[in-house]
Amino acid sequence: MTGTTNNTPTTDVLRAAAALVSDFASGDSTAYFSHFDPDATFVFYTHPERLETRAAYEDLWSSWREEDDFAVLACASRNGIAQVNGETAVFIHDVETRVSTRSGGEETLHERETIVFAQRDSGWVAIHEHLSPVAS
C-alpha cells in the first residue's frame, strides 16, 4: 500500500483506522475484528484485565451480546492523528459511540482511543487498542 504516488504511510494508516472505525460503527463484528492481528492486545477501562488476543476480545464481545444485548448504534471519530515510525504507527483519536444494552438502554460514550498498527504485506493491521474515558 505504501510507496505509491498518491499515498503516504500516514495517509494509509488514517485510511486503515477509518475503515476499522466504520466497521465498528456498523455493528459488523466480523468486519471489525478483521482489522486486528490475531495476537493483538486490548486494554479497556471498563474491563478489569488486559485481553491478550483478538479471540479473547471476540469472546468478551460475544458475552456482552448474549448477556446484555449489547449493540453498537453509531460511532464518530474526531481529532485523529497518526504517527508513523517505520513499520509501526500510532493512531490517536476522540471517539463518540452510541451503544445499547438491555440493562442500560441507549447511552453515548465519550472516549479517547489509541490504536497501534503494524505494516504487513496486506496493509496496516491493528496490533493494540487502548480505550480511556475522556476526562471531564
Side-chain angles (χ1 to χ4, degrees), residues 17-38:
L20 185 154
V21 171
S22 177
D23 285 339
F24 177 78
S26 76
D28 183 346
S29 61
T30 300
Y32 168 61
F33 285 115
S34 75
H35 295 279
F36 293 95
D37 186 85

Side-chain angles (χ1 to χ4, degrees), residues 21 91-93 95 111-115 129-132:
V21 171
F91 173 74
I92 301 168
H93 67 143
V95 62
E111 298 161 314
R112 184 161 295 129
E113 182 175 49
T114 301
I115 303 171
E129 179 181 4
H130 187 126
L131 194 62
S132 303

Side-chain angles (χ1 to χ4, degrees), residues 3 5 9 12 17 22 25 36 117 126:
T5 47
D12 291 339
S22 177
F36 293 95
F117 287 90

Side-chain angles (χ1 to χ4, degrees), residues 2-83:
T2 60
T4 64
T5 47
N6 295 330
N7 295 333
T8 66
T10 300
T11 301
D12 291 339
V13 170
L14 292 171
R15 284 184 184 141
L20 185 154
V21 171
S22 177
D23 285 339
F24 177 78
S26 76
D28 183 346
S29 61
T30 300
Y32 168 61
F33 285 115
S34 75
H35 295 279
F36 293 95
D37 186 85
D39 292 325
T41 56
F42 304 86
V43 176
F44 304 127
Y45 68 97
T46 57
H47 189 70
E49 296 135 9
R50 182 179 60 218
L51 301 172
E52 299 295 339
T53 63
R54 180 181 70 199
Y57 182 20
E58 288 175 293
D59 289 345
L60 180 61
W61 182 288
S62 292
S63 74
W64 292 338
R65 281 190 167 169
E66 291 170 16
E67 296 168 11
D68 204 18
D69 293 331
F70 170 78
V72 176
L73 305 175
C75 182
S77 172
R78 293 180 181 79
N79 304 318
I81 61 166
Q83 298 170 287

